[in-house]
């Protein structure tokens, strides 16, 4: 038999993207900074097939993740015939608690200039002179990161207000 497909592939905690399908070979998952290890759950479709798991931090079906680093996990499935092979790749990124970047920033009802980008740290927002308060919303890649927006909503003065 030459079936080298996986029937099941999952990680815990977390979920793979895209959703598992035997013909999809590359997956990724971004994990919060406090996640130190991930457990793999996998099963070959053919019980006679074998698989091997390799990569940095891999021991058995457990992957040890380094903070702020993307770990590449290689899963090679070999069919019963010994020559038919398939390689599945998992890219697992553990966020860093020391990362001070944002994944989103918005002003309720108004547009930022330039449009938000995690590489940009200075923005402008033009509002009518009758606007007295601005509501800001910000998120960080790591859900454990605390974001301090100061006073929210932000009181505006006539003219330019720096936040």
């Amino acid at each position: 038999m030459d079936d080298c497909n996986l029937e099941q592939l999952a990680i815990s905690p977390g979920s793979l993207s895209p959703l598992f399908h035997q013909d999809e070979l590359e997956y990724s998952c971004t994990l919060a900074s406090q996640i130190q290890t991930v457990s793999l759950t996998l099963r070959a479709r053919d019980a006679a097939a074998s698989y091997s798991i390799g990569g940095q931090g891999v021991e058995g079906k457990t992957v040890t993740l380094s903070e702020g680093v993307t770990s590449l996990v290689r899963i090679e499935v070999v069919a019963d015939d010994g020559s038919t092979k398939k390689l599945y790749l998992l890219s697992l990124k553990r966020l860093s608690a020391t990362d001070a970047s944002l994944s989103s920033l918005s002003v309720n009802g108004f547009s930022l200039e330039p449009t938000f980008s995690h590489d940009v740290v200075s923005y402008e927002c033009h509002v009518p002179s009758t606007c007295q308060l601005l509501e800001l919303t910000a998120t960080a890649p790591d859900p454990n990161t605390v974001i301090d927006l100061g006073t929210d909503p932000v009181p505006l003065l006539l003219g330019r207000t720096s936040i």
Side-chain angles (χ1 to χ4, degrees), residues 80-102:
D80 188 28
D81 66 9
S83 61
T84 306
K85 300 176 182 182
K86 187 177 271 190
L87 182 64
Y88 293 87
L89 298 174
L90 308 182
S91 180
L92 306 175
K93 180 178 183 180
R94 178 181 171 195
L95 296 172
S96 173
T98 62
D99 181 359
S101 67
L102 294 177

Side-chain angles (χ1 to χ4, degrees), residues 81-135:
D81 66 9
S83 61
T84 306
K85 300 176 182 182
K86 187 177 271 190
L87 182 64
Y88 293 87
L89 298 174
L90 308 182
S91 180
L92 306 175
K93 180 178 183 180
R94 178 181 171 195
L95 296 172
S96 173
T98 62
D99 181 359
S101 67
L102 294 177
S103 55
S104 72
L105 176 65
S106 62
V107 180
N108 191 19
F110 300 100
S111 299
L112 292 173
E113 295 175 17
T115 302
F116 175 78
S117 171
H118 69 299
D119 297 328
V120 177
V121 295
S122 182
Y123 297 91
E124 288 191 9
C125 180
H126 299 279
V127 299
S129 61
T130 56
C131 183
Q132 296 179 352
L133 297 173
L134 270 186
E135 290 183 35

Side-chain angles (χ1 to χ4, degrees), residues 141-162:
D142 186 345
N144 296 315
T145 301
V146 176
I147 300 172
D148 183 0
L149 296 173
T151 306
D152 192 33
V154 177
L156 299 178
L157 305 173
L158 192 57
R160 182 180 215 113
T161 302
S162 293

Side-chain angles (χ1 to χ4, degrees), residues 28 30 77-78 101 127:
S28 64
T30 301
V77 183
V78 180
S101 67
V127 299

